[in-house]
């Protein structure tokens, strides 16, 4: 229950920022929900990049093409911008 609450908070924060796409398959995949629930400081570029790399591992391990499509879209919209 705590993981789901944290994941929903992450989704709300991403939605409020208008910066990331979260799909239904992502929210029903336990590995993705656990990833979403992991706290990350978005101001720390290296930490954010490392966290997104972990999502890439989930992407590479799934055979669900619909989930892959959602993960790719999320990573594209949520990737931190180099300044």
């Amino acid at each position: 229950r705590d993981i789901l609450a944290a994941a929903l908070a992450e989704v709300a924060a991403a939605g409020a920022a208008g910066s990331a796409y979260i799909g239904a398959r992502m929210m029903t995949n336990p590995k993705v929900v656990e990833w979403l629930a992991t706290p990350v400081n978005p101001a720390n570029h290296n930490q954010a990049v490392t966290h997104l790399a972990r999502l890439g591992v989930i992407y590479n391990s799934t055979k669900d093409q619909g989930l892959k499509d959602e993960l790719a879209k999320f990573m594209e919209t949520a990737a931190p911008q180099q300044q």
Side-chain angles (χ1 to χ4, degrees), residues 4-81:
L4 181 57
L8 292 175
E10 180 78 17
V11 170
S19 63
Y21 168 85
I22 305 285
R25 288 179 191 246
M26 289 175 64
M27 289 305 299
T28 58
N29 182 285
K31 289 180 182 179
V32 176
V33 170
E34 183 178 350
W35 179 87
L36 282 167
T38 303
V40 174
N41 178 0
N44 182 325
H45 181 77
N46 290 335
Q47 188 179 32
V49 169
T50 300
H51 190 62
L52 280 175
R54 289 185 192 111
L55 190 59
V57 171
I58 296 170
Y59 174 93
N60 288 329
S61 69
T62 187
K63 293 180 181 5
D64 181 342
Q65 188 58 49
L67 178 58
K68 280 189 179 235
D69 293 344
E70 288 184 6
L71 290 171
K73 187 171 182 180
F74 176 84
M75 288 186 283
E76 186 178 291
T77 60
Q81 303 300 313

